[in-house]
Each structure stands twice: as structure tokens, then as C-alpha cells.
């Protein structure tokens, strides 16, 4: 009679890994004794009662187990979806987002506002609006995330704005830099920068330092067009002339023809914008190989000397001038804490604009969780974020309550060598800068 020895109840909870099933509807009839009659009946009755006693005991155990599991199951983790490229030529962004986001949580003792955090990562591979929209829809509908973060490329961020708005999911932009993004949904917050924000100060600086003629050379998509427009608008206002505006396809790998046009333009400087990664290396290589540096055509940029690629440039990067909101060499206690936490989380991670954008993005998510007691309330979360001010690894910052974009210092930087390492040395601060693109 093996059926009389097996508990017919199995419990299924996430914690116990068991499964609840029905009681068996029948018990196999016992074989009658050779003498027949009443002894066979008693034998069957005893086994049946033994079976039901065992089933009842198992049911009581299952009930107790479910009761014990209930409080833990109720204390659900806050889910944060991180969207970015984790494969392909821009995969370092995803790697840095992950290290900074997890490093921030670890620096807070493993919880935010007393809540466990569950990260769910999704790989866009690169600029791919259709795929990004599908991934975000799954995160919102299937995974039921409470917050979203990441987004390297403007087209990807723009594509998900209707989903963010409809679902009221607070979404922190760690990188994408076109001004108009935060206009597309009231549930966007940005902790990175915009091209208007970092370009206006360098255009003013160029004019004040005697540059009269400049060429702009930008990658032909949202942030690049913002960079071109911002520089030309401010530089001409200061009395300068943009002698040529060059737009380079986003898939370009051969920058030689564009650099030759810059060389032939008669300009004193080139202001450029390229997406981080291989394009930066290619453009700077062409800039040097075609004699622009030796010919006295000054390089002006923003993120082109990104710390992630900086050592790969070698001495060709020495003297390159950029205006940007962060340098890995920024000297402050907050930056030292950030760099230490990042390296503890991932020894190969680099302190740069992508990782600091994610670190500060998680600070904002932390404060939104705190303001809502971990409950899903997009409007209350965004209201809390609008009022935030804090000391970032980049310096003092705040969220502009009107634009939901970060206000921050922008620094004039020049590549120098410290020991055997290249660094973006901050030469001066232009002070707090808003997003001038959203002020238009």
C-alpha cells in the first residue's frame, strides 16, 4: 500500500519551492485476506484512516508554511528596469550603468529606504528605437517595474515616451542628451547633461579667447544637431562666425574626408560632437594624422575625451580642450567616495559621465522610493524628485522643478598627463548651468 505512505499535499511558494496539489480522489482497494470477511474490511479501514491522518498533517504543515512565507512575500522588492546597450560597440555603457547602479545600492547597505532592490537589465544593442520600445513595454506590463533608468541614445528615449506617460512610470535618463527628451513625458527625469548645457559655455569661452572663425562637425542625429545649433547660436551672438557646419553620418568610421574639409576652411578651431566609443577615437586620430593639431586648429568638444577611452588615445590626446560637467579627476570627497564604491563593485569600471549619470540616477530613484514609502505612485515620486538638491561626485546639483533636468557646474578641461595616466584636468568652472535648449 505505498499510497498510504505518501503525503498527497505539496506546497508551492517562491520561498519553499513546493507545489499544492489536490487530494487523490480514490484510494486503491486493499487485497482481501485469504480468510475473507471482516478482517479484510478492518484492514482497509485502518489504512484509509491512516492515509487521511497523514494528509491532514501535511495540510496543516502546508498552511503553517504559507503563513510563515506570507510576510516575506508581502515585502516585495522595488523593481528597477535598466535599459541600455549591453552588447555591441557601445556595450561599455551598459556595463558602467550596471556597476554604478549596483554600487550605489551597496553603498547604502544593500537597501534603499529600507526596501530591497531588484534590477532587471535589458539590452538595446545600440540606437534601436523599435527594439527599445518593445523591451520597455515588457518591463512595464510583464515585469511590472516600479522605475526605469538608463537610455544612452536619444532616439531610444524618445520612442518610449508614450509608454512612460501612459503607465506613469518614473524614468531617469542616465545619458541621452537631447534637450527635448524631458518635454516628451512628465515622468522623465534627467541626471546626465544636454548638449546645450555644456556647449553654450565653451562657445562663450572661445569667443572671449580670440577665436573668430570656427567649424562645427557633429554626428547627424538629435544630440549632434543640438550641439551644432547651440554652438552656432551662442558663438555668433558673441561676434564669432561659424564658417561651415558639417554633419557626419552616425555609422561613419572614416573621418578623413570631413577633417580635410575642416583643414581647408580657414577656421581657427573645430567644435565637435560625437557619440562615445569608437567614433571619438576615429575622429581624434584623423584630426592628428591630417595635421590639424600641428596647423593650430584648436579642438573643442564635450565628451570626446571620455575617461573610458582616454588611455587608448595615447599622447595624441594631450592638449585637447573640452567643456563638460564631470571629470574622473574631479577633486572632492563625494567623487572619492563614488570612485571607491564603483571600484569595489567592479574593479574594471571607469568613473566617467556614464557611470556618474547612473550613480546620481540611483540617488534620485532612492529619494523617490523614500518619498512614496516604496509604493507605486508615479506622480508623488516625480513631485519629490523635482525638489532634490545634493552634492554629487561632479559637484553641487539640483533638479530644475520646471524642466526635470539637472542643473550643474560645467568645467573647462584639458587633457594632461599625471604620472603615466592621461586625465581631464579641470582648469576652471563656468558655474551652474541650466539646459539652455529647454529655455528656448
Amino acid at each position: 500500500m505505498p499510497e498510504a505512505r505518501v503525503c498527497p499535499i505539496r506546497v508551492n511558494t517562491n520561498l519553499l519551492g513546493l507545489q499544492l496539489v489536490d487530494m487523490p480522489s480514490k484510494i486503491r482497494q486493499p487485497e482481501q485476506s485469504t480468510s475473507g470477511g471482516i478482517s479484510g474490511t478492518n484492514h482497509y479501514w485502518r489504512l484509509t484512516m491512516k492515509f487521511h491522518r497523514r494528509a491532514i498533517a501535511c495540510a496543516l504543515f502546508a498552511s503553517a508554511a504559507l503563513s510563515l512565507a506570507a510576510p516575506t512575500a508581502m515585502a516585495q522588492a522595488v523593481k528597477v528596469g535598466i535599459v541600455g546597450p549591453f552588447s555591441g560597440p557601445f556595450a561599455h555603457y551598459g556595463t558602467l550603468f550596471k556597476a554604478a547602479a549596483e554600487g550605489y545600492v551597496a553603498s547604502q547597505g544593500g537597501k534603499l529606504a529600507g526596501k530591497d532592490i531588484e534590477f532587471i537589465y535589458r539590452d538595446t544593442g545600440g540606437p534601436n528605437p523599435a527594439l527599445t520600445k518593445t523591451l520597455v513595454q515588457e518591463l512595464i506590463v510583464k515585469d511590472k517595474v516600479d522605475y526605469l533608468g538608463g537610455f544612452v541614445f536619444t532616439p531610444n528615449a524618445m520612442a518610449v515616451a508614450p509608454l512612460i506617460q501612459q503607465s506613469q512610470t518614473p524614468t531617469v535618463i542616465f545619458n541621452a542628451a537631447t534637450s527635448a527628451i524631458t518635454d516628451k513625458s512628465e515622468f522623465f527625469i534627467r541626471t546626465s547633461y544636454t548638449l546645450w548645457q555644456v556647449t553654450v559655455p565653451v562657445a562663450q569661452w572661445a569667443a572671449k579667447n580670440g577665436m573668430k572663425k570656427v567649424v562645427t562637425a557633429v554626428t547627424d542625429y538629435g544630440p549632434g544637431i543640438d550641439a551644432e545649433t547651440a554652438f552656432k547660436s551662442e558663438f555668433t551672438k558673441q561676434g564669432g562666425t561659424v564658417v561651415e557646419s558639417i554633419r557626419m553620418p552616425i555609422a561613419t568610421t572614416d573621418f578623413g574626408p570631413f577633417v580635410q574639409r575642416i583643414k581647408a576652411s580657414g577656421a581657427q578651431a573645430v567644435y565637435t560632437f560625437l557619440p562615445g566609443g569608437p567614433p571619438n577615437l576615429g575622429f581624434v586620430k584623423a584630426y592628428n594624422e591630417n595635421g590639424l593639431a600641428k596647423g593650430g586648429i584648436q579642438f573643442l568638444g564635450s565628451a570626446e575625451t571620455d575617461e573610458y577611452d582616454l588611455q587608448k588615445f595615447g599622447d595624441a590626446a594631450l592638449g585637447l580642450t573640452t567643456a563638460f560637467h564631470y571629470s574622473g579627476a574631479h577633486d572632492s570627497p563625494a567623487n572619492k567616495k563614488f570612485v571607491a564604491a564603483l571600484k569595489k563593485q567592479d574593479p574594471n569600471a571607469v568613473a566617467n559621465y556614464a557611470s556618474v549619470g547612473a550613480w546620481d540616477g540611483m540617488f534620485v530613484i532612492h529619494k523617490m522610493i523614500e518619498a512614496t514609502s516604496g509604493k507605486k505612485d508615479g506622480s508623488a515620486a516625480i513631485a519629490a524628485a523635482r525638489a532634490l538638491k545634493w552634492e554629487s561626485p561632479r559637484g553641487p546639483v539640483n533638479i530644475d522643478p520646471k524642466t526635470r533636468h539637472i542643473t550643474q557646474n560645467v568645467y573647462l578641461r584639458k587633457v594632461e598627463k599625471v604620472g603615466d595616466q592621461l586625465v581631464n584636468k579641470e582648469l576652471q568652472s563656468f558655474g551652474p548651468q541650466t539646459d539652455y535648449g529647454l529655455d528656448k
Side-chain angles (χ1 to χ4, degrees):
M1 295 284 296
E3 288 85 348
R5 296 177 179 273
V6 177
C7 176
I9 303 291
R10 295 193 303 278
V11 183
N12 185 10
T13 74
N14 288 335
L15 296 174
L16 299 177
L18 302 169
Q19 183 179 359
L20 182 65
V21 298
D22 292 332
M23 292 277 292
S25 58
K26 294 173 61 179
I27 300 177
R28 185 160 58 107
Q29 292 288 339
E31 295 178 4
Q32 296 294 317
S33 66
T34 53
S35 59
I38 192 71
S39 62
T41 302
N42 286 339
H43 181 60
Y44 175 73
W45 180 84
R46 287 194 303 272
L47 287 170
T48 302
M49 292 305 294
K50 182 178 180 182
F51 177 89
H52 285 292
R53 284 196 300 271
R54 188 178 294 270
I56 291 166
C58 288
L60 290 171
F61 170 78
S63 177
L66 286 168
S67 296
L68 289 170
T72 306
M74 286 168 58
Q76 290 182 329
V78 173
K79 293 183 179 181
V80 180
I82 305 290
V83 181
F86 290 87
S87 63
F90 301 102
H92 65 284
Y93 280 103
T95 301
L96 293 174
F97 285 173
K98 185 175 188 293
E102 294 180 2
Y104 179 85
V105 175
S107 76
Q108 303 300 308
K111 294 177 184 287
L112 300 184
K115 306 295 181 182
D116 290 324
I117 304 300
E118 179 185 348
F119 288 108
I120 304 173
Y121 299 95
R122 291 293 180 264
D123 180 19
T124 64
N128 191 331
L131 174 60
T132 303
K133 189 172 183 180
T134 298
L135 294 174
V136 167
Q137 189 165 12
E138 288 177 355
L139 284 167
I140 293 171
V141 176
K142 180 181 175 184
D143 297 304
K144 301 187 185 306
V145 296
D146 300 288
Y147 297 91
L148 286 165
F151 301 96
V152 171
F153 297 99
T154 289
N156 294 356
M158 293 285 202
V160 305
L163 301 175
I164 302 306
Q165 185 67 26
Q166 184 178 9
S167 64
Q168 299 188 4
T169 304
T171 299
V172 184
I173 302 293
F174 293 172
N175 184 75
T178 299
S179 292
I181 291 173
T182 54
D183 277 343
K184 302 304 178 183
S185 171
E186 63 190 291
F187 293 92
F188 276 137
I189 297 279
R190 180 158 34 206
T191 56
S192 54
Y193 69 106
T194 67
L195 271 301
W196 275 90
Q197 186 176 43
V198 298
T199 299
V200 166
V202 77
Q204 294 170 344
W205 179 85
K208 289 175 183 176
N209 282 270
M211 298 177 204
K212 301 296 184 183
K213 297 180 179 180
V214 175
V215 170
T216 61
V218 303
T219 300
D220 190 9
Y221 78 124
I225 294 168
D226 266 10
E228 174 192 287
T229 306
F231 190 91
K232 187 173 183 178
S233 171
E234 189 62 30
F235 191 61
T236 54
K237 189 188 299 183
Q238 299 292 329
T241 301
V242 174
V243 296
E244 188 173 0
S245 296
I246 299 171
R247 294 183 182 180
M248 303 172 288
I250 196 167
T252 293
T253 57
D254 180 10
F255 294 96
F258 302 108
V259 169
Q260 284 295 327
R261 286 169 61 184
I262 297 167
K263 188 175 183 179
S265 70
Q268 297 163 284
V270 53
Y271 172 75
T272 188
F273 168 79
L274 302 106
N280 290 336
L281 294 167
F283 187 88
V284 170
K285 181 181 179 183
Y287 169 83
N288 282 292
E289 288 181 350
N290 286 272
L292 273 68
K294 289 182 180 178
I297 299 175
Q298 184 156 354
F299 181 103
L300 302 174
S302 53
E304 287 67 35
T305 58
D306 170 25
E307 281 80 3
Y308 183 81
D309 288 321
L310 188 53
Q311 307 311 317
K312 301 172 189 174
F313 286 110
D315 289 350
L318 289 171
L320 296 183
T321 302
T322 55
F324 212 43
H325 63 287
Y326 178 71
S327 165
H330 183 70
D331 187 13
S332 74
N335 193 46
K336 289 181 173 120
K337 178 184 175 182
F338 162 59
V339 173
L342 191 65
K343 290 293 184 183
K344 184 177 180 181
Q345 184 66 32
D346 180 354
N348 296 316
V350 176
N352 74 342
Y353 67 94
S355 53
V356 82
W359 178 273
D360 283 333
M362 286 309 302
F363 173 87
V364 172
I365 289 173
H366 181 178
K367 294 305 175 183
M368 289 194 286
I369 294 169
E370 193 175 80
T372 59
S373 301
K375 296 175 183 176
K376 200 177 183 92
D377 188 337
S379 295
I382 291 296
R386 287 175 186 268
L388 288 176
K389 295 181 181 181
W390 72 99
E391 185 67 25
S392 160
R394 66 190 91 177
V397 300
N398 67 274
I399 299 298
D400 185 313
K402 179 183 176 183
T403 66
R404 288 163 281 107
H405 173 72
I406 194 166
T407 298
Q408 58 196 332
N409 290 340
V410 172
Y411 306 93
L412 183 71
R413 315 179 311 169
K414 183 173 285 190
V415 177
E416 296 184 0
K417 186 170 277 189
V418 176
D420 62 349
Q421 294 291 300
L422 297 171
V423 300
N424 286 302
K425 185 176 180 180
E426 294 172 353
L427 302 180
Q428 73 177 82
S429 172
F430 295 116
Q433 304 292 317
T434 61
D435 181 357
Y436 299 101
L438 289 175
D439 290 343
K440 298 298 178 186

